[in-house]
Amino acid sequence: MKKTMIAAAVGTVLALGTGSALAAAPDWGKVEAKDITLFYPGVSPLEWIQKGSAHGGARALRKGETCADCHHEETADMGKKIASGQKIEPSPIAGKAAFIPVKVQAAHDADNLYLRFSWKQPAASGAAKMDDKNPVKIAFMLEAGQVELADQSGCWATCHTDSRTMPGAADTKTKYVKDASLAGGKFYDLYQWRSGENKGFDGHVADTRVMEGGSALVSAEGKQDGDNWTVVFTRKLAGGGQGDVALEAGKTYNFGFAIHDDSAAGRFHHVSLGYKLGIDAKADITAAKQ
C-alpha cells in the first residue's frame, strides 16, 4: 500500500449529529480483547450454508447450532481453502490474504457504546484495485433477535445468491433481509468506516442495504501505525434513527463484522462468523461500563 494512500486514512475522526462533542474514549488498556479471525468467504451465501449437499453443517444449522459453534477454531483453515480456489471460489485472486486475526474490544458509559478493532495489515495481493478510493473499509452489524437465523449465522442472513458481485448476479442488487420490516425490527443495524474517504457511515440492511439514515454514530476514528490498524467506533446506546437498534444494559445482540482489505469491494471481503455482543451481559464480547 502506497504511503500517499495510507496518509489519507490516518487520524480520521468523524462527528455526526447536530454539533455533538466527541465522547471521551475508554481506557482500552483495561478492556479485555476478544480474538476473532476473519476469513475469506468466497461464494458462500445463505442459500449455500443451508444446502446439505454443499455444506456439511446444514444439518447442524437446522438443529439450532451456530456457525461459530462448529467453525470458530478453524476459520483460518477455511479461509486458506477458499482463497486458494480449492473450495467455493470460482475466481481466486492470486496473493489474496486467506484470513485476518482481529482483536475486538467493547466498553460503554452512560450514553455510548465503544467498539475498538485492531489488526495487522496483510500483504497486498497486487491485484487490480476494486475500490481505489478506499484501501481499507471496516463494517459491523448489530441485530436484536428478530431476523430469522441471525442468531445462528450472523451476517449471513443478509448475504444471498443474487447479491451483487455474486456469480451471475445483477450489480444493482445489494445485501438484504428476507421478509424485512423496519417497523417490526427485522433488520440489521450497519456501521462502516472508510479509510480513503475519512468518513463513517450509519445505515441498515432491511429489504435493501442503505448506507446512511441512522443517527446513532457519534464518531469513527481510524489510524495506521506501521503495519497495525486501529479503528474505534462510538455509537449512542439509545440509537434514535431509522434502522438503529436501541441497546440496553443486561441484554445481548447478534454481532458480526467485516474488513475490505487491499482495496476490495463487494463479496471480496474478510468476514467474521456470528457472535454475541453483551451490554453488561455475559457474551462472546462484553461491553462493560467504564
Side-chain angles (χ1 to χ4, degrees):
M1 186 181 297
K2 294 181 180 179
K3 290 183 178 179
T4 54
M5 297 176 69
I6 294 172
V10 178
T12 299
V13 179
L14 173 70
L16 298 182
T18 55
S20 299
L22 293 179
D27 182 349
W28 293 113
K30 297 180 179 179
V31 179
E32 181 180 358
K34 171 79 172 182
D35 293 316
I36 295 178
T37 299
L38 304 189
F39 70 103
Y40 181 66
V43 183
S44 60
L46 181 64
E47 293 81 4
W48 181 87
I49 71 170
Q50 293 178 300
K51 188 177 180 180
S53 60
H55 174 224
R59 179 178 296 180
L61 196 70
R62 287 194 293 272
K63 291 181 177 180
E65 293 186 31
T66 73
C67 297
D69 287 338
C70 293
H71 299 305
H72 174 72
E73 299 295 334
E74 59 183 17
T75 48
D77 290 335
M78 292 193 305
K80 290 176 184 177
K81 289 181 180 178
I82 300 170
S84 67
Q86 181 181 342
K87 189 174 183 180
I88 58 171
E89 177 48 78
S91 306
I93 298 170
K96 179 80 173 179
F99 60 93
I100 303 176
V102 182
K103 290 188 178 297
V104 184
Q105 294 168 279
H108 77 91
D109 56 23
D111 300 311
N112 300 305
L113 167 70
Y114 305 89
L115 282 170
R116 184 177 189 259
F117 303 88
S118 52
W119 70 97
K120 184 177 181 180
Q121 172 67 49
S125 68
K129 293 177 174 56
M130 300 176 189
D131 181 357
D132 57 2
K133 293 181 180 179
N134 296 292
V136 171
K137 299 188 291 285
I138 182 169
F140 71 92
M141 290 201 284
L142 299 169
E143 195 278 327
Q146 300 301 311
V147 175
E148 183 180 2
L149 290 177
D151 59 339
Q152 293 176 264
S153 66
C155 301
W156 262 264
T158 71
C159 181
H160 300 281
T161 341
D162 58 351
S163 299
R164 72 182 186 88
T165 68
M166 288 289 180
D171 287 342
T172 55
K173 191 75 170 182
T174 68
K175 291 186 175 182
Y176 61 92
V177 171
K178 290 183 178 179
D179 302 317
S181 170
L182 283 173
K186 292 185 178 181
F187 65 88
Y188 283 77
D189 197 353
L190 168 65
Y191 300 88
Q192 186 188 69
W193 177 80
R194 300 178 187 177
S195 62
E197 296 180 57
N198 294 338
K199 191 174 182 180
F201 294 83
D202 181 351
H204 64 265
V205 180
D207 57 340
T208 186
R209 186 187 65 180
V210 177
M211 293 306 302
E212 298 182 89
S215 60
L217 187 62
V218 176
S219 67
E221 178 181 4
K223 64 180 180 180
Q224 186 179 33
D225 183 6
D227 288 336
N228 298 309
W229 281 99
T230 303
V231 177
V232 178
F233 291 89
T234 302
R235 187 242 192 233
K236 289 184 288 186
L237 290 170
Q242 187 179 58
D244 290 335
V245 170
L247 305 178
E248 299 178 37
K251 293 188 176 181
T252 63
Y253 302 87
N254 295 312
F255 168 81
F257 67 105
I259 292 174
H260 280 88
D261 172 63
D262 198 23
S263 298
R267 71 172 181 85
F268 298 95
H269 51 4
H270 293 80
V271 299
S272 76
L273 298 171
Y275 296 95
K276 298 287 186 182
L277 172 70
I279 311 298
D280 288 330
K282 186 177 180 181
D284 300 304
I285 303 158
T286 297
K289 190 171 184 178
Q290 280 206 354

